[in-house]
Amino acid sequence: MIHSVSDTITLHTGNSVPGYGFGTGGLRDDTLHAVRDALADGYRSIDSGQRYGNERDIGLAVAQSGISRKDITLSTKWCAPFQVDYGALEIPSVQEIVETLKESVVRLNNGRGVDHGGYIDLVLLHHAGPNREWRERGWKALSEAWEAGWVRDIGVSNFGIKQLESLSAPKPAICQLELNPWIQQKEVVKYCQERGIVVQIGTTSLVDIYCLDGVYRKGSFPFLDHRRRKEYRLIKISFDFELTNEEMMALDGLDQGAQGRQTLVDSDNLPE
């Protein structure tokens, strides 16, 4: 059970990650200031993605924080380009994808590459599209980086059961999902939990924050969306209560399935 932002969750690889993190999706010009504030306020997990375009400023914020790099969990995501006609694109080779991950290492470690001790704690496939071939090649690249040791853990984001089942070894350490009281994806969550895959969710509202007890009791852990930065400090006081069984049942009853989705990524409509 998570009782503070400093508590951790152990992955099936044996590595530990903070039980609460700070998400930077959509954050650009204000990245440096926002991440420095989050670190100063006690957060030790920062979630990014290559498509966000803010890895360099995150690396600089970490370097300026005065906190040891080993005490901060940095994650990013590799994403196939969003195109209308994927058939017109040449699928990058595994080595080309690996090279883009090495570039992320440099950015997130403030100029330090893999040859100088740079590393990333967690890399995810950003989504399961556009098709199985892109997905398999991306997962192979992540796996090679993990085996080489400069990526500590690998996982997926916005995957459904059919896409998770299509992955080759190794098993993902984390599956990042859109979860809130209105879209609970219970089948995917159950699938992951039965296989030792930790579920990570994005938290975007006070309603979600005050459902934290329910989140942790269901075996998942969240990160705070940067657009809710003013709510940082509420997190520190939101661990001192426990929902009743009746309240948990009430939360379960809010599920609207796909209709509760707030993002555009629906794994049910992506190829197996």
Side-chain angles (χ1 to χ4, degrees), residues 78 80 91-95 97 125 127-144 154 156 159 162-170 271-272:
W78 179 80
I91 303 176
S93 68
V94 170
Q95 188 55 43
I97 299 172
L125 287 186
H127 65 87
N131 57 44
R132 185 164 185 157
E133 189 173 5
W134 280 83
R135 183 167 66 244
E136 288 178 347
R137 202 163 291 189
W139 187 245
K140 175 65 174 173
L142 266 62
S143 300
E144 289 191 3
I154 56 177
V156 297
F159 271 49
K162 62 185 180 182
Q163 293 91 17
L164 284 164
E165 289 181 335
S166 75
L167 291 176
S168 60
E272 297 184 16

Side-chain angles (χ1 to χ4, degrees), residues 69-105:
R69 169 68 180 87
K70 67 180 179 62
D71 294 328
I72 300 174
T73 296
L74 296 180
S75 61
T76 193
K77 309 175 191 73
W78 179 80
C79 183
F82 286 101
Q83 300 284 341
V84 175
D85 182 10
Y86 282 100
L89 291 176
E90 181 179 353
I91 303 176
S93 68
V94 170
Q95 188 55 43
E96 286 172 332
I97 299 172
V98 168
E99 290 304 314
T100 70
L101 298 179
K102 288 183 177 180
E103 293 169 3
S104 288
V105 171

